[in-house]
Amino acid sequence: MSKIKPSKGAPYARILGVGGYRPTRVVPNEVILEKIDSSDEWIRSRSGIETRHWASPEETVAAMSIEASGKAIADAGIAASQIGAVVVSTVSHFSQTPAVATEIADKLGTDKAAAFDISAGCAGFGYGLTLAKGMVVEGSAEYVLVIGVERLSDLTDLEDRATAFLFGDGAGAVVVGPSQEPAIGPTVWGSEGDKSETIKQTVAWDRFAIGDVSELPLDSEGNVKFPAITQEGQAVFRWAVFEMAKVAQQALDAAGISPDDLDVFIPHQANVRIIDSMVKTLKLPEHVMVARDIRTTGNTSAASIPLAMERLLATGEAKSGDTALVIGFGAGLVYAATVVTLP
């Protein structure tokens, strides 16, 4: 017989508060068109994007995270010192170590909270939410701060017609804490590494650092391009539309609900056409509010779901207690979907 005492966590976990931060600079499609041969109408019809936010030098990954987290902590009605763990999902914090989560935990005023970063691309928020739920239920932390944050403008090739218009910057955060009833459903998640080439960084950091430009991409002026995110648009679109709708349905099944039971659908804000196709495939009823935050925020990867959640609640398009299906999917290829009760 084991001598280890059982964990004393909560029966269940829930999202208690949400916060978001969008950089002050708003970038319309006209700015993107200065470097690519396209049109505002083409960008809107292909992606739904009208504007996006780009961070200033002062709006760092840490700074944006702290702003969003402060709002989430206040919304949850707790003190920062009660946070037991900080989980940050990002692919655009360029210091390999230490984790940016440690800086955020310190500056927020947590009491030496556990802190670490994860890299799960556009599914990162779902991954972090799942880890947070486990910590609360297991008892290793009473309250967990989950942050999705990106400065994708730093990883955007403005001369790449396929991706230059897609990406934006921002941070979204939620506080996960104890609940007496189920409020975060089972997560359906996974990866398809055989498709990893469909979304990737153009040049690995070590190749960029070597200084040998013979195999590195050059811009229109002959300068070596900074590493950027590239993707095979059609392959990603087909995968997201056909495969991720199946994952979303599996998350509904795992939670024991049907589309009719949903109030809100918050998919990763990758592309309006993908969102609309998923709504059609899932046969969501008209009463289900669908997040389309991408129109004015762009694709913010790990930040997109909490940012969209925060906006829906702030505008009253969704309300506390609503049942929401959330799904993230992207580079890896990775995905994560679950059903939650909105804070």
Side-chain angles (χ1 to χ4, degrees), residues 306-324:
L307 277 174
M309 182 184 296
E310 186 259 355
R311 173 161 282 175
L312 288 175
L313 289 167
T315 59
E317 295 172 281
K319 63 183 185 299
S320 174
D322 279 354
T323 300

Side-chain angles (χ1 to χ4, degrees), residues 297-310:
T297 306
N299 180 342
T300 55
S301 188
S304 77
I305 290 175
L307 277 174
M309 182 184 296
E310 186 259 355

Side-chain angles (χ1 to χ4, degrees), residues 135-258:
M135 283 185 265
V136 170
V137 173
E138 186 272 337
S140 58
E142 185 177 12
Y143 299 102
V144 181
L145 179 65
V146 179
I147 304 166
V149 56
E150 303 292 2
R151 274 182 56 114
L152 294 181
S153 58
D154 293 335
L155 288 169
T156 298
D157 180 354
L158 294 178
E159 295 182 344
D160 180 0
R161 188 173 183 270
T163 61
F165 58 89
L166 282 177
F167 302 119
D169 303 336
V174 299
V175 172
V176 177
S179 174
Q180 294 302 309
E181 60 183 15
I184 300 176
T187 300
V188 177
W189 58 351
S191 65
E192 298 184 37
D194 60 315
K195 300 180 180 66
S196 61
E197 291 295 304
T198 56
I199 306 175
K200 63 180 182 179
Q201 186 171 304
T202 52
V203 181
W205 294 116
D206 59 348
R207 288 295 308 155
F208 184 76
I210 289 172
D212 179 4
V213 301
S214 60
E215 297 181 5
L216 299 181
L218 306 178
D219 64 20
S220 57
E221 297 179 355
N223 301 311
V224 174
K225 288 186 178 182
F226 191 75
I229 297 173
T230 185
Q231 68 176 28
E232 298 174 16
Q234 287 302 312
V236 172
F237 181 86
R238 289 192 298 269
W239 176 76
V241 168
F242 296 109
E243 298 303 320
M244 291 304 98
K246 298 176 186 176
V247 171
Q249 183 60 56
Q250 290 169 12
L252 291 174
D253 295 341
I257 67 172
S258 71

